[in-house]
């Protein structure tokens, strides 16, 4: 994001006409808002897919649509074999029990994972609200199922740990009659946005003050249908989170990678190259779904090595990582997901200096050695070279670092002695890694290069 050059003279001239923090409902104005710094500094978030799809907990979170919208054979067979004829998706409501839901325990886990923000599905495409919404009669977690304000309880617990609380929100709702009518009218009418999507979104924001609005379900209709710029102008000018909130880029059929706050592009976007606009890699510990799936096997889950590898590659390329977990209908977080989050936290506990509040360096990955990724501190006095592979010969060739740049070198999590290095041919430096020691990092290791010149 390029700051606009504003001369003192024009500021003095304009000052009386500017109302502070006023954004107009057009993309040029909305897109000019600087992203609050906490988001870029935070780097790591937790995504939580939890809703009525957590009851069947089978195949994916698109259960309702796959079953009755797409007539998927797998879903149809599953329903025929396990439920009485005529069973309606709505009947999953009372089966969403959440009896073991302990938001304080969840928040403690998120804190130990090293995350700086949490994004809960407040309402997925099925339309079921996780808070007592006045815009969804008998279709929320307070009216049916847990009979608790699941979202509100998490908001309090998460904020008590100092982690930013955020919400995912689907603009569309499957099978909603107003949405179907609007669609039949070629989006010339906006009944769903006007009567449901936007009022309920403003309600959840006003009530729970989330710092992240992770919009979704935008793709079929233009942003004018959703009145996205009108909503965002309200969010940035008037909402209770106008100074701290960040939003993604899913605001209409042609907005991804173009408009909004940070860019998500597609799910699991992780290009391995620098993206000049702030972006986020929203990915899931389960490689095949966002919801908890009871049929999942261990190999469906990322290994801790794969998770750390994704985290490093993402942050080196200017992204944040949003790591998804799928809690169960009982309100527990699957043990394997707990373990992965704690492993990420263990790695960040040693290597966090190379991740949090860093900026991309000149090179994102090494020019010669595979699996080496770079970040630097903001004033570019320290370079962090993270390697996901421990070389067999115990020396690491950093092809992107010149001998003239390299001051002293250390490894995070090792005794604070300087590492030996020598100029390499034809270019780069060769670093002698410290021998194994008890509390050295696992899965990936960080060499700190104190830069003499950047
Ligand atoms: C509805 O919108 C489409 C384009 O989105 C336009 O071509 C069409 O003329 C409109 N129809 C009516 C009835 O307004
Ligand atoms: C650096 O990353 C790019 C993009 O992912 C890849 O094509 C290239 O092979 C990587 N370089 C090395 C040395 O691994
Ligand atoms: C463990 O780490 C600490 C802090 O980095 C360091 O002082 C200590 O020497 C390390 N212990 C071992 C056995 O490497």
């Amino acid at each position: 994001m390029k700051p606009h050059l504003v001369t003192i003279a024009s500021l003095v001239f304009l000052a009386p006409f500017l109302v502070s923090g006023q954004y107009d409902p057009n993309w040029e104005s909305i897109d000019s808002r600087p992203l609050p710094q906490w988001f870029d500094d935070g780097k790591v978030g937790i995504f939580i897919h939890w809703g009525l799809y957590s009851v069947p907990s089978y195949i994916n979170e698109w259960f309702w649509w796959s079953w009755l919208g797409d007539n998927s054979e797998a879903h149809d067979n599953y329903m025929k074999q396990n439920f009485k004829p005529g069973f309606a998706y709505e009947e999953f409501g009372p089966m969403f029990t959440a009896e073991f839901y302990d938001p304080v325990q969840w928040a403690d886990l998120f804190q130990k994972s090293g995350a700086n923000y949490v994004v809960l599905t407040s309402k997925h495409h099925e339309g079921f609200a996780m808070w007592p919404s006045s815009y969804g009669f008998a279709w929320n977690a307070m009216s049916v199922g847990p009979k608790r304000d699941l979202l509100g309880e998490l908001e309090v617990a998460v904020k008590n740990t100092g982690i930013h609380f955020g919400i995912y929100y689907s603009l569309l709702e499957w099978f909603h009659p107003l949405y179907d009518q609007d669609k039949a009218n070629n989006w010339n009418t906006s009944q769903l946005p006007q009567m449901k999507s936007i009022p309920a979104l403003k309600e959840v924001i006003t009530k729970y003050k989330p710092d992240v609005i992770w919009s979704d379900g935008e793709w079929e209709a233009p942003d004018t249908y959703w009145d996205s710029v009108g909503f965002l102008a309200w969010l940035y000018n008037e909402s209770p989170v106008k100074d701290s909130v960040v939003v993604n880029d899913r605001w209409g059929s042609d907005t991804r990678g173009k408009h909004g706050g940070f860019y998500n592009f597609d799910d699991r976007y992780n290009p391995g190259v620098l993206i000049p606009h702030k972006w986020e890699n929203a990915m899931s510990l389960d490689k095949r779904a966002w919801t908890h799936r009871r049929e999942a096997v261990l190999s469906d889950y990322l290994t801790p090595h794969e998770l750390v590898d994704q985290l490093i590659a993402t942050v080196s390329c200017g992204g944040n990582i949003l790591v998804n977990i799928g809690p169960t209908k009982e309100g527990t977080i699957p043990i394997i997901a707990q373990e992965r989050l704690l492993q990420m936290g263990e790695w960040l506990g040693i290597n966090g200096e190379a991740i949090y509040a860093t900026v991309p360096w000149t090179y994102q990955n090494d020019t010669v050695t595979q699996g080496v990724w770079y970040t630097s501190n903001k004033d570019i006095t320290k370079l962090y070279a993270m390697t996901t592979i421990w070389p067999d010969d115990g020396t690491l060739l950093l092809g992107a670092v010149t001998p003239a740049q390299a001051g002293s070198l250390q490894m995070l999590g090792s005794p604070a002695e300087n590492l030996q290095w020598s100029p390499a041919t034809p270019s780069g430096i060769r670093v002698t890694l410290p021998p194994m020691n008890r509390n050295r990092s696992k899965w990936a290791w960080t060499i700190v290069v104190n830069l003499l010149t950047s």
Side-chain angles (χ1 to χ4, degrees), residues 214-235:
W214 210 102
S215 176
D216 196 22
E218 86 295 3
W219 55 79
E220 287 189 312
D223 64 89
T224 47
Y225 168 74
W226 302 111
D227 187 25
S228 295
V229 289
F231 164 74
L232 290 167
W234 171 84
L235 184 71

Side-chain angles (χ1 to χ4, degrees), residues 213 240 249 375 379 386 388:
I213 314 295
D249 59 353
T375 57
D379 51 11
M386 293 169 273
T388 55

Side-chain angles (χ1 to χ4, degrees), residues 80-278:
K80 281 191 177 130
Q81 282 159 16
N82 295 286
F83 294 89
K84 65 182 195 292
F87 185 94
Y89 188 79
E90 291 84 339
E91 291 177 75
F92 284 133
M95 300 163 73
F96 185 24
T97 49
E99 68 268 42
F100 300 128
Y101 175 46
D102 182 345
V104 174
Q105 192 187 71
W106 285 24
D108 181 56
L109 174 69
F110 302 151
Q111 192 173 33
K112 290 187 173 127
S113 79
N116 281 307
Y117 59 105
V118 168
V119 178
L120 170 71
T121 46
S122 63
K123 176 174 83 71
H124 203 258
H125 311 319
E126 63 189 7
F128 186 83
M130 298 290 271
W131 80 99
S133 174
S134 17
Y135 295 91
F137 177 68
W139 198 229
N140 67 71
M142 185 62 102
S143 305
V144 67
K147 306 237 163 69
R148 284 167 73 176
D149 181 357
L150 302 177
L151 187 149
E153 290 184 36
L154 189 65
E155 180 231 350
V156 172
V158 163
K159 286 183 181 173
N160 279 342
T161 65
I163 297 176
H164 292 267
F165 177 71
I167 56 164
Y168 162 106
Y169 187 87
S170 174
L171 296 169
L172 73 73
E173 295 186 13
W174 293 321
F175 309 113
H176 197 298
L178 296 180
Y179 187 66
D180 291 345
Q181 276 176 26
D182 289 343
K183 189 172 178 174
N185 293 338
N186 284 315
W187 315 115
N188 291 322
T189 54
S190 286
Q191 300 175 88
L192 183 82
Q194 282 170 17
M195 294 171 73
K196 176 78 198 279
S197 310
I198 301 301
L201 179 54
K202 287 184 175 177
E203 176 191 54
V204 71
I205 292 166
T206 307
K207 225 170 148 181
Y208 304 99
K209 302 174 183 60
D211 275 345
V212 182
I213 314 295
W214 210 102
S215 176
D216 196 22
E218 86 295 3
W219 55 79
E220 287 189 312
D223 64 89
T224 47
Y225 168 74
W226 302 111
D227 187 25
S228 295
V229 289
F231 164 74
L232 290 167
W234 171 84
L235 184 71
Y236 293 170
N237 293 330
E238 292 171 52
S239 80
V241 287
K242 63 188 168 71
D243 297 322
S244 53
V245 74
V246 297
V247 306
N248 66 348
D249 59 353
R250 299 186 177 189
W251 297 105
S253 49
D254 194 30
T255 63
R256 290 193 193 186
K258 289 184 186 154
H259 296 301
F262 62 88
Y263 294 165
N264 277 121
F265 302 99
D266 296 320
D267 296 352
R268 301 179 180 81
Y269 185 75
N270 190 13
V273 295
L274 181 66
I275 302 294
H277 187 282
K278 187 64 202 181

